[in-house]
Every structure is written in C-alpha cells, then in structure tokens.
C-alpha cells in the first residue's frame, strides 16, 4: 500500500501497524500516575554556594525535553519499521509462463561437417547451431531453460533456469566430441524425462527441442522407448534433423562425402515427435534452421510482459536501526556526563 505524499516507489506491507503510534498516549491516561515529592529533601539558605546548583534547573528541563523528543522520534521510527516498508527496486520481474523448455544438442563427431554457411563463410553444423540457438534462447524470456549435451553419453550441462545469458555461454562453450563420438539420442531424452520428474509442478508445460544429425548409435535406452516415457510425464518433444543433402567431412587427413539422408534417422525422429505431441523439422541450411526456431516460437510462444511481478525490497531495517540509535542517545549522553 502506497501513502500519498511519499515516493511512488515506497509502500508498506502492513500499514495497519500505524495505529500503534497512539499507544503511549493511551498508556498515559490508563496507567496510574507516578508519585513525586513536592518538597525538597534539602533546604538551601539564600547565599549558600549550593544555591548555584539550583540555577541548573533550566538546563535539566532542556535535557528532559531532548530526551522526550528522541524517544518520540524513535517510537515513530519503530512504528515505521513495523509497517514493513518496501522499495520498488526494478521495473518488472521476468514474466513466468510455467513452461520448462530444454534444448538437447548433438555433439557427435559428424557435427563437424562444414555444410552450413554463416556470414558468407562455411561453418560446421555445431557453429551454425550455436548461432541460431543463441538467438532462440535470447527470445525465450519468461521460460525456464535447460541444456542437455549428448554424444556417446548425455550430460545435463545447465539445469532449468531463467538465466539466459549463462545458458548461452554454456552452449557456446560446447565442443564437438566433448560427450564422445557416437550418438545417444535415447539417453538424451531419458535425461530430459528425469528432469521433468524432478521439477514437476502442477500447471507447468514441459518441452524438449532435440537437434541431431544422425541416428541412435549408443546409449542404454532406445529412442522410441524413451519417447514413450516422455509421453507419460507430459514432455512434448520437437525433433530437428540437421545437415545438408550432401557435404564433405574432414576426418583427420581424409575427406569423405557424407549424405545426411543416409545417416539421419528421420523415421525415428518423426516417431519421437508424434509420440509426444511434437513435430519433426528438417534443417538443410542456416536459414532453414533459423526458420525452424522461429516456428517454434509460434508453436510455443514466450510470455507476455504484462504477466510480470513487481520486484520490491524489504527496507524495514533502516527505520529499525534509526529507532535503536534514537533510543540509545539519551542513555549514552547520561553515561558520558557521569564519566566526565
């Protein structure tokens, strides 16, 4: 709740605590009055040197007035702390769609085939995937994103997170052969299924975008069996087969012609997508790959900014600290006077 006259960024979570400001006044009328002595315990004759002590009565009244002022201001600061002041520290928090979107990227040896072009030069399939996938990650504001890298084995490189910059960095650091030379598509899907089970929350949507240029040649679980498990837990899989119709693959000192249609198991990738309610896409060049990711943006749209939550920081510690200082000042001053 904001209070008129204060900055718009400042609000109070418990404004009703302001009623406590009248408690000292209530106590004054309800509690019995303190008994005081109306006669001096010591009568000082006129002209006595002790009569000068009485002249300090005015300064004593000033000190009492200052103590009361510090006490009242400290009380008001304490009430302000009890009202839980909050400060709006930013615009809007990253909007949340309730979607968990994981990317599974093939790092097997065949991904080094330079049959894609980027900025007018030939690049390998993984480099093109990084460039297009990085742009896709940047557009996915509002989704929790995760990254799985797979070759002969599958690894969870990044758990589900809103931190898109870190995810892009981890994708760009991926290297061909990092997970082995073969392709374990089934294990990659099974790993995504496990993450869905671990992070399952009612109302969340789970999506896996799996990109590969080959067939399942390794791993402990068959791709179609893994896809059946994915369908059970509600994981929708979009599969992307990447690779030009023909390409030259440099393998150490030997060049060989690669025909992706022979190596790429499109039938299995299509079946995986159909079993889980997703779709299969074929990317033959960089432009086609970028178009696929744009279509994925349409099929699985990111969040609208209007769904964000306001970020507010608790700042009650500032008035609480001020109250502590104000309550301590009179006692500290009295201690100094007794010392000196």
């Amino acid at each position: 709740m904001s209070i008129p006259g204060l900055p718009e960024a400042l609000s109070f979570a418990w404004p009703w605590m302001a009623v406590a400001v009248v408690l000292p006044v209530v106590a004054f009328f309800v509690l019995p009055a303190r008994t005081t002595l109306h006669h001096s315990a010591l009568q000082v004759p006129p002209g006595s040197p002790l009569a000068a002590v009485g002249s300090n009565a005015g300064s004593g009244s000033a000190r009492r007035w200052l103590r009361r002022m510090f006490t009242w201001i400290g009380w008001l600061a304490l009430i302000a702390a009890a009202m839980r002041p909050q400060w709006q520290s930013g615009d809007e928090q990253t909007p949340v769609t309730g979607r968990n979107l994981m990317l599974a990227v093939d790092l097997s040896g065949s991904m080094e085939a330079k049959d894609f072009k980027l900025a007018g030069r030939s690049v390998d399939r993984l480099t093109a995937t990084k460039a297009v996938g990085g742009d896709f990650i940047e557009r996915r504001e509002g989704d929790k994103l995760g990254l799985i890298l797979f070759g002969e084995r599958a690894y969870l490189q990044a758990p589900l997170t809103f931190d898109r910059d870190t995810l892009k960095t981890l994708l760009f650091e991926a290297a061909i052969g990092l997970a082995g030379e073969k392709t374990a598509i089934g294990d990659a899907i099974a790993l995504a299924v496990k993450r869905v089970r671990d992070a399952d929350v009612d109302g969340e949507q789970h999506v896996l975008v799996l990109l590969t240029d080959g067939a399942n040649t390794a791993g402990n679980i068959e791709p179609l069996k893994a896809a059946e498990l994915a369908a059970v837990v509600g994981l929708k899989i979009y599969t992307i087969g990447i690779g030009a119709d023909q390409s030259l693959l440099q393998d150490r000192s030997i060049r060989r012609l690669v025909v992706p249609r022979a190596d790429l198991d499109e039938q299995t990738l299509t079946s995986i997508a159909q079993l889980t309610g997703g779709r299969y896409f074929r990317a033959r060049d960089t432009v086609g790959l970028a178009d696929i990711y744009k279509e994925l943006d349409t099929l699985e749209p990111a969040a609208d900014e209007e769904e964000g939550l306001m970020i507010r920081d608790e700042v009650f510690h500032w008035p609480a600290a001020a109250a502590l200082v104000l309550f301590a000042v009179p006692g500290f001053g009295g201690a100094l006077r007794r010392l000196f």
Side-chain angles (χ1 to χ4, degrees), residues 6 37 45 54 63 69-70 79 91 95 105 109 123 129 137 147-148 161-162 175 206 233 254 272-273 327 336:
L6 294 177
L37 294 176
R63 284 195 296 269
M69 182 184 71
F70 278 123
I79 296 302
D91 294 331
V105 179
V123 296
T129 299
I137 291 171
L147 178 62
I148 293 172
T161 177
F162 287 116
H206 308 283
V233 300
I254 302 173
I272 291 170
F327 286 141
L336 287 179

Side-chain angles (χ1 to χ4, degrees), residues 212-246:
T212 183
D213 67 344
N216 190 74
T217 56
N220 299 316
I221 185 169
E222 290 297 320
L224 294 182
K225 181 62 178 178
E228 291 174 2
L229 295 175
V232 170
V233 300
L235 175 64
K236 184 188 296 186
I237 303 177
Y238 294 96
T239 54
I240 302 175
I242 186 174
D245 289 335
Q246 289 185 348

Side-chain angles (χ1 to χ4, degrees), residues 17-196:
M17 287 295 296
V19 299
V21 74
V22 300
L23 286 179
V25 179
V26 174
F28 177 80
F29 288 103
V30 172
L31 296 179
R34 184 179 62 179
T35 58
T36 57
L37 294 176
H38 295 282
H39 301 286
S40 298
L42 177 64
Q43 298 294 327
V44 181
S48 172
L50 294 176
V53 177
S55 63
N56 293 328
S59 60
S61 299
R63 284 195 296 269
R64 283 195 298 272
W65 182 86
L66 283 174
R67 279 198 298 270
R68 289 172 182 169
M69 182 184 71
F70 278 123
T71 301
W72 271 107
I73 297 176
W75 176 251
L76 293 175
L78 193 63
I79 296 302
M83 292 168 64
R84 280 188 60 194
Q86 298 174 332
W87 188 266
Q88 180 185 333
S89 61
D91 294 331
E92 289 196 346
Q93 193 177 22
T94 303
V96 180
T97 63
R99 181 186 290 107
N100 295 328
L101 194 154
M102 289 173 283
L103 305 177
V105 179
D106 187 351
L107 297 183
S108 62
S110 57
M111 288 290 286
E112 68 181 349
K114 292 188 174 182
D115 55 356
F116 277 61
K117 289 189 178 295
L118 192 64
R121 63 185 182 90
S122 295
V123 296
D124 58 66
R125 295 167 182 172
L126 181 59
T127 299
T129 299
K130 290 178 180 179
V132 178
D135 291 339
F136 176 71
I137 291 171
E138 191 62 36
R139 296 193 300 268
R140 301 307 301 186
E141 182 178 6
D143 288 336
K144 281 184 181 179
L145 302 176
L147 178 62
I148 293 172
L149 302 177
F150 67 97
E152 192 169 344
R153 295 168 297 278
Y155 298 98
L156 180 68
Q157 188 70 358
L160 291 167
T161 177
F162 287 116
D163 189 349
R164 290 171 292 149
D165 291 336
T166 298
L167 196 80
K168 283 177 59 178
T169 299
L170 292 172
L171 174 62
F172 292 163
E173 290 176 349
I176 294 172
L178 183 67
E181 295 295 322
K182 295 182 180 180
T183 309
I185 296 174
D187 283 6
I189 296 173
L191 182 55
V193 170
K194 182 179 184 303
R195 300 310 300 177
V196 168

